[in-house]
Every structure is written in C-alpha cells, then in structure tokens.
Amino acid sequence: MHKTLKRILKPIYYSSALNPFRSAYCSAVFFNRYYRKRVFGIVGTTFRLPRELANFTYDLTPHNLNDLAHVVAIVSRKPVDEIRSYIDEARHDADLNHAIRQAMAKRAEIYDARLISPFGRRLGWYAFARALKPRLIVETGVERGHGALILCAALIRNAAEGSQGHYLGTDIDTNAGWLLTGNYARVGKVLYGDSLESLKQVSGPIDLFINDSDHSAEYEYREYQTISAKLSPRAIILGDNAHTNDRLARFSEENGRYFLFFKEEPERHWYPGAGIGISFAPNEQVPIET
C-alpha cells in the first residue's frame, strides 16, 4: 500500500504546478541541515556568555586536526606522527592553557572552559615552529596575542631541545599582545607601529613569517615584498588571510615557491573557519624523514 501511494504521489510532487512549493520545501530542508545550527549559534554568540564578537576561539574537529597534521608533514618533510605529536603537545600543554586562562581573567575577558584548545588553526603554526626549529619567527598583526603565545610556547620547547629561537610580533595597536606574559614573553616581544615600517627594521634571516595584520590584500602583498629578501632559504610563510585573497599564492608563483591552503573546520561553532595559506621553497635535496 505504501509503495502504491508513493507511485501515485510522485508524479504530483514533481509536477510543474508544485514547483514553487517543492522549492520552498527543499530550501527549508537545506536550511535545517546546513544553516540552522549556525544561525542559532550566531545568536548565542552575541547574546549569551561566553560572548565573543571577534577573533573567535574554538577547537578543530578530529578529522580536521588529522588533515592539518598531514599538510604540515608534507610541507615540513617530517613524519606525520611527529607532527601529530606536536599538535597534541600544544592542545594538552597545561602551562600554556593556564597562561591563557590567567591572562584572560586579568583582563576580565571570558574564556570558554569547554575548549580543549582555543587556538584553532594556530595549532598548525605551532607544529610548523616545532618542526622547523626557527631561529626567528615574525608575525604581523598580534591582536590579543593567541599566535604570539602559542609560537613562544613552541620556541620554549625548542630551546629545551637545544634549538634557540626568538619571536617578533608587530601591531599598530599599543595594547596588542597582552596574552604574551611570563616565561613566554622572555622569548618574544611585540614591536608597535605600522608593520611595513617595523618589518624594514628586522634584519633577519626569517625562518617563519606569519601575516595576520591589515586585511587589505594589497597591504598584505606589500608585507611579502618587504620581507622577501630577509627570508632564509628554508623559510615558510603562513598567510592568515589566504581564504579571502590570492596574494600569497601570487607571491609564491612570482618567487618560485610552492603554495598550499589548509581550510579549518571549527568544532561546535557557527563560524565556518578561516585557514592557513602556506608558501614554501622547493627543496628536492632534503629527504622526507621516516
């Protein structure tokens, strides 16, 4: 009886007369499946605690973390298990989590205690810093200092293994970088002022460069041009705005570098995620470690 009823109703359902109603029904289904949680999540973010109105913090999905490990492994030419261990190291670093909670509390800002790690795609920055063992990391656009903090955490780990390194951040806001405190501030500092002018003062060589400053595509491109001659032969560039423009990809093409893009997938958050643009020099002489 059920199959007979379906056969009768199917032609009616697909008739041209019902096109508007069928489209409305499909739209409702698609909205419920793909967007309802996000729309409600936006409302919850803006009206409920903990409240974040910019620079959202979230975990990444397990699947996305695995993808991230593979991308970093390909670029750094390190075993994927090693990269996974670095990502887990940052996610479960008790001192790092305590530092961020303490700094947020001092600023009377709310930290979501449900998060395993609030760093999102910056876990990839950490993994690159641990794998590359950079002598100098430069980040433009520090804001609260999530990137500065986790990168300095990587440098402290590297130093304990015999590889010294230093972090320099740049930001036009003199209040930026307030998360960078305690032991983490001993291996890094923030230069205040226009990033292009600050970058001109950096002598290099830069082993790891992260762009996250002015979101203008042309300004971003000028940053890459400014640091181009300061990059070490093994330098990696990470672009935090590569999901919005092609400037890092263009710079890579013009300078004989490879470009990849990692798309992040936030867990339990309405934000669709940003990503990491990755520019790196081809080096066929360096074997992949196993």
Side-chain angles (χ1 to χ4, degrees):
M1 181 66 180
H2 177 67
K3 290 182 179 179
T4 303
L5 185 61
K6 282 187 69 175
R7 280 198 300 269
I8 295 172
L9 293 177
K10 190 173 182 179
I12 299 173
Y13 176 77
Y14 284 105
S15 67
S16 58
L18 290 182
N19 278 347
F21 301 99
R22 188 170 61 252
S23 296
Y25 170 75
C26 290
S27 295
V29 170
F30 294 150
F31 173 81
N32 184 64
R33 181 177 300 172
Y34 297 108
Y35 299 106
R36 179 177 59 85
K37 288 184 179 180
R38 287 186 178 179
V39 171
F40 290 167
I42 292 172
V43 175
T45 298
T46 54
F47 288 99
R48 291 198 303 267
L49 298 178
R51 185 180 295 120
E52 285 185 318
L53 303 180
N55 292 297
F56 306 112
T57 54
Y58 40 77
D59 293 317
L60 300 183
T61 66
H63 175 84
N64 200 222
L65 286 170
N66 190 53
D67 288 346
L68 178 59
H70 278 277
V71 170
V72 176
I74 289 171
V75 176
S76 65
R77 305 180 73 82
K78 299 287 186 181
V80 69
D81 284 344
E82 179 181 334
I83 302 303
R84 284 197 191 100
S85 72
Y86 292 147
I87 292 173
D88 287 341
E89 179 181 88
R91 292 178 75 225
H92 301 291
D93 186 327
D95 291 336
L96 180 60
N97 280 304
H98 176 73
I100 192 170
R101 290 174 191 273
Q102 193 174 51
M104 294 283 273
K106 285 183 179 179
R107 296 278 297 203
E109 294 208 10
I110 296 171
Y111 180 94
D112 190 344
R114 297 170 298 176
L115 296 176
I116 294 175
S117 168
F119 295 102
R121 62 191 174 279
R122 296 178 185 87
L123 291 168
W125 302 8
Y126 179 93
F128 273 119
R130 291 288 280 126
L132 190 62
K133 301 292 188 293
R135 291 161 295 184
L136 178 60
I137 299 174
V138 176
E139 178 194 10
T140 61
V142 176
E143 217 272 335
R144 282 182 289 192
H146 282 90
L149 183 63
I150 197 169
L151 288 167
C152 286
L155 290 176
I156 289 173
R157 295 266 189 179
N158 290 347
E161 297 171 359
S163 298
Q164 301 292 330
H166 190 70
Y167 165 90
L168 284 178
T170 73
D171 204 292
I172 199 167
D173 181 1
T174 55
N175 293 313
W178 49 265
L179 280 174
L180 188 62
T181 59
N183 289 333
Y184 303 99
R186 295 178 183 176
V187 295
K189 67 177 182 178
V190 180
L191 305 176
Y192 297 104
D194 178 79
S195 68
L196 292 173
E197 294 303 316
S198 296
L199 290 175
K200 291 175 184 177
Q201 308 306 315
V202 177
S203 59
I206 302 170
D207 293 319
L208 183 59
F209 178 80
I210 300 111
N211 162 267
D212 190 18
S213 58
D214 189 316
H215 287 198
S216 157
E218 291 310 314
Y219 191 91
E220 176 183 344
Y221 185 66
R222 288 172 64 194
E223 285 193 358
Y224 299 143
Q225 291 177 312
T226 301
I227 55 96
S228 180
K230 303 174 187 286
L231 297 173
S232 71
R234 66 189 183 120
I236 292 174
I237 303 172
L238 306 180
D240 203 56
N241 300 317
H243 63 298
T244 66
N245 68 69
D246 67 347
R247 293 309 185 269
L248 184 53
R250 180 197 296 184
F251 174 84
S252 301
E253 211 171 321
E254 292 171 347
N255 290 273
R257 299 172 67 85
Y258 292 149
F259 174 81
L260 289 175
F261 179 74
F262 165 80
K263 175 69 171 67
E264 70 175 351
E265 186 178 280
E267 186 170 42
R268 299 183 304 276
H269 202 286
W270 62 265
Y271 183 57
I276 307 174
I278 308 164
S279 173
F280 58 107
N283 188 351
E284 309 301 337
Q285 305 304 314
V286 180
I288 298 176
E289 296 184 16
T290 58

